[in-house]
Amino acid sequence: LAGAKGYAQLLEDEGDVTARRRYLEAIERRIDDASKLLDQLFAYAQVQDPDYRIEREPVDANAALADTLAALYPPFQEKGWAPRTDFEDAQPGVLADAEALARIFRNLAVNALRYGADAPSIVQRGPGISFSNRVEDPGGLDAARLFDRFYQGSESRSEGSGGLGLAIVAQLCRAIGAAATATLDGDVLTVAVEFEDARR
């Protein structure tokens, strides 16, 4: 917000149309970043509330994931990426809350988009779903800490992020009885979630 305010002050005295457009774009980016961070902070505060309750029911995980990827089509297209999907079951039923499941998938997809070096590979096996893709700086990443709040790893992971996306994933997983793990194999990061099978 301070950056947006600074550009707004520059804008007041700028007569050049091209420069004014550039300042307006910079202001918009900073406001968007602030909005996303506030959304993450709200979501994290919500799942940290001891009175926060989630009612579980059978949910079609593949349908929820397809909706998430469709909503994120523009940023994937902007990068020229097409996520690779490998679904074992046509309709894997997992015990979850539909809204929580959508948030988990969105945060995992956005994490892959923001920090990955190529399109993610998304694999479903039974009640488990994983997101894998290469990362630019595997040496600056501690996979064991990825679910810690505010952890960002190397500086390349800090831009436009508060380090809460995967922390929210971990909290939501605990709330619905799922387990989230992260592993780094060479330069390939895999974040996996094992849900409770609704068919058991």
Side-chain angles (χ1 to χ4, degrees):
L1 289 175
K5 185 176 180 180
Y7 276 109
Q9 291 169 344
L10 290 172
L11 188 62
E12 288 180 356
D13 302 321
E14 182 57 65
D16 181 73
V17 174
T18 302
R20 288 176 66 86
R21 186 180 300 112
R22 190 170 62 249
Y23 291 154
L24 283 170
E25 289 172 353
I27 290 169
E28 185 176 357
R29 283 196 303 271
R30 280 155 177 76
I31 291 174
D32 284 347
D33 286 345
S35 178
K36 291 172 186 174
L37 181 56
L38 284 172
D39 179 58
Q40 286 195 346
L41 286 169
F42 174 76
Y44 187 75
Q46 186 180 37
V47 297
Q48 289 293 101
D49 186 338
D51 294 326
Y52 183 66
R53 295 289 181 270
I54 290 182
E55 296 296 328
R56 299 191 308 164
E57 62 181 3
V59 181
D60 182 345
N62 282 1
L65 181 54
D67 287 345
T68 297
L69 295 177
L72 292 172
Y73 177 75
F76 273 113
Q77 186 181 44
E78 187 177 324
K79 282 182 171 283
W81 291 359
R84 301 176 296 276
T85 57
D86 180 3
F87 296 162
E88 180 181 54
D89 301 323
Q91 293 179 307
V94 301
L95 283 178
D97 167 84
E99 186 176 335
L101 190 63
R103 167 71 73 166
I104 288 170
F105 287 153
R106 179 173 179 82
N107 283 16
L108 292 176
V110 168
N111 185 75
L113 264 167
R114 182 173 287 160
Y115 307 118
D118 61 2
S121 175
I122 305 170
V123 176
Q124 174 267 322
R125 292 291 182 270
I129 292 180
S130 65
F131 287 66
S132 303
N133 62 343
R134 293 189 305 107
V135 292
E136 292 286 1
D137 182 22
L141 195 62
D142 183 353
R145 296 187 58 203
L146 278 180
F147 298 106
D148 294 349
R149 62 179 178 177
F150 306 124
Y151 175 74
Q152 296 177 326
S154 63
E155 289 185 6
S156 64
R157 291 181 61 88
S158 63
E159 185 177 349
S161 169
L164 287 173
L166 292 183
I168 292 169
V169 167
Q171 291 287 345
L172 287 173
C173 283
R174 279 193 282 271
I176 63 173
T181 58
T183 56
L184 191 61
D185 184 7
D187 65 349
V188 177
L189 173 67
T190 299
V191 182
V193 178
E194 190 72 19
F195 298 97
E196 186 171 341
D197 196 332
R199 296 168 293 188
R200 290 179 183 172

